[in-house]
Amino acid sequence: MTDLAEGSGDGFPTDEHWAAEVRRLAGERDAVILAHNYQVPEIQDVADHVGDSLALSRLAAASTAGTIVFAGVYFMAETAKILAPDRTVLIPDARAGCSLADSITAEQARAWKAEHPGAAVVAYVNTSAEVKAEADVCCTSANAAEIVASIPPEREVLFLPDQFLGAHVRRQTGRDNLHVWLGECHVHAGISPADLRRKAEADAGAELFIHPECGCATPALWQAGTGDLPAGRTRVLSTGGMLAAARNTRASSVLVATETGMLHQLRQANPAVRWEPVNPDAVCRFMKMITPAALLRCLREGTDEVRVDPGVAARARRAVTAMIGAGEPGAGE
Ligand code: 13P
Ligand code: SF4
């Protein structure tokens, strides 16, 4: 259990009674609690599983529990429902959206496809079910490059909606026929190259772990190439990839460019390392809508239930099933 003094930030007491009640109600409902790495520490600690988008999608697909409680944002719970249509999927607060998923609608995706007939559409998992239904395959940051590389090289690719992940995938695959939608996550776009440079200069021995959604990811690799950042110690990783790298790092400090919820898992994985956020204000307000109070209410009242139109879900399922079949858990470099 997290230090109780840390609290949940919303004044709700998350003591051992809260945790015991969450576990009791989950048992009563035959519910598995899946929590994303960006959740508040108390929720990470009480969950059955904590992970990145890819790992949690795989767990949802494989779970035999009658109810899946998804402590994350709405597109993640929707993906779980697409993969486990016969299960009840609950999210503690259905208002927990995602600025990146909101950066493209299904109508916009269809219009883009019409401009590029024959192109393969690769949709990042941070999209609505309706947008996934327009895709050939989905991906997460842990397997995006591998999925794009599996598409015949002569076929055009439309990659949506994240411009920074798209640029990273283009660099990794060396494809110049990859078109990228100009969406972004407001949290990761706000972690600037200047923040990174300043922190790296102040801690010259530190390793850098950078999520590919960050606005600073491409400049960082470029700066690593010119020697302005430490070349061997600058790594672009999914949240699952960061955790795998945390267990093996030999650095005494690591600067982390992603949502700050990630630090809880990293600190647990390797307490000997000093884990420092590149931007301590990189907090996703949507992820933080899943409060301890909301989780309790969700388990007591069976709300909010996630529903996906069966026709949309059937079309999206092909793309999402292809996603969970590709890439090793914890990959993403
Ligand atoms: P991961 O796929 O690395 O878990 O990231 C999900 C996300 O929303 C990043 O902002
Ligand atoms: Fe969406 Fe960004 Fe929040 Fe991730 S951090 S859930 S991409 S708004």
Side-chain angles (χ1 to χ4, degrees):
M1 189 65 200
T2 307
D3 178 4
L4 298 183
E6 199 173 326
S8 60
D10 66 354
F12 189 83
T14 53
D15 56 14
E16 66 274 17
H17 304 297
W18 168 81
E21 184 63 354
V22 166
R23 294 309 325 163
R24 188 187 71 74
L25 290 167
E28 209 170 83
R29 275 192 186 276
D30 182 27
V32 63
I33 304 175
L34 305 181
H36 189 265
N37 288 322
Y38 297 161
Q39 289 291 290
V40 294
E42 295 87 334
I43 290 182
Q44 295 190 29
D45 291 346
V46 85
D48 292 287
H49 304 282
V50 184
D52 68 1
S53 314
L54 184 59
L56 296 179
S57 299
R58 285 177 170 145
L59 285 161
S63 169
T64 54
T67 296
I68 297 168
V69 173
F70 213 112
V73 291
Y74 199 78
F75 76 81
M76 296 180 178
E78 234 180 16
T79 306
K81 183 68 183 175
I82 292 165
L83 288 165
D86 56 336
R87 243 66 57 70
T88 301
V89 177
L90 302 177
I91 182 167
D93 191 331
R95 296 170 302 175
C98 168
S99 62
L100 179 54
D102 285 346
S103 67
I104 187 164
T105 64
E107 201 180 350
Q108 287 172 316
R110 281 192 290 275
W112 202 30
K113 279 164 68 169
E115 287 169 23
H116 298 270
V121 178
V122 180
Y124 191 33
V125 71
N126 298 44
T127 43
S128 66
E130 289 77 12
V131 169
K132 288 184 175 78
E134 299 298 329
D136 293 291
V137 58
C138 289
C139 69
T140 75
S141 53
N143 64 7
E146 181 186 335
I147 284 187
V148 168
S150 72
I151 296 165
E154 64 286 356
R155 191 168 175 198
E156 271 190 308
V157 176
L158 303 183
F159 187 93
L160 60 86
D162 189 69
Q163 58 181 301
F164 300 114
L165 178 62
H168 183 58
V169 168
R170 189 189 280 136
R171 188 174 47 241
Q172 282 181 307
T173 58
R175 268 181 111 112
D176 52 16
N177 61 352
L178 181 115
H179 307 279
V180 177
W181 190 260
L182 291 180
E184 64 179 29
C185 152
H186 71 289
V187 178
H188 286 87
I191 304 175
S192 72
D195 290 336
L196 188 66
R197 180 85 179 259
R198 198 176 48 251
K199 289 270 186 175
E201 275 171 6
D203 189 351
E207 266 191 18
L208 313 180
F209 287 4
I210 304 167
H211 195 279
E213 282 177 25
C214 289
C216 63
T218 293
L221 290 178
W222 187 76
Q223 287 175 323
T226 60
D228 286 341
L229 285 176
R233 289 182 276 122
T234 302
R235 309 177 70 182
V236 176
L237 298 160
S238 69
T239 61
M242 287 184 187
L243 208 49
R247 298 191 184 102
N248 302 323
T249 184
R250 286 160 184 266
S252 57
S253 60
V254 179
L255 303 174
V256 182
T258 194
E259 211 274 352
T260 56
M262 188 66 218
L263 294 161
H264 184 59
Q265 286 297 310
L266 294 170
R267 287 176 178 143
Q268 284 183 338
N270 196 337
V273 171
R274 196 167 60 84
W275 298 97
E276 184 75 22
V278 169
N279 180 349
D281 296 328
V283 177
C284 175
R285 68 177 186 277
F286 301 114
M287 284 282 177
K288 271 49 181 186
M289 284 178 176
I290 311 304
T291 60
L295 178 60
L296 202 56
R297 184 178 59 240
C298 169
L299 285 160
R300 278 194 183 134
E301 298 173 12
T303 53
D304 294 332
E305 185 164 357
V306 176
R307 296 178 201 275
V308 182
D309 173 83
V312 170
R315 289 173 59 218
R317 192 168 301 119
R318 288 172 300 112
V320 176
T321 304
M323 171 187 91
I324 63 170
E328 287 305 308
E333 197 162 12

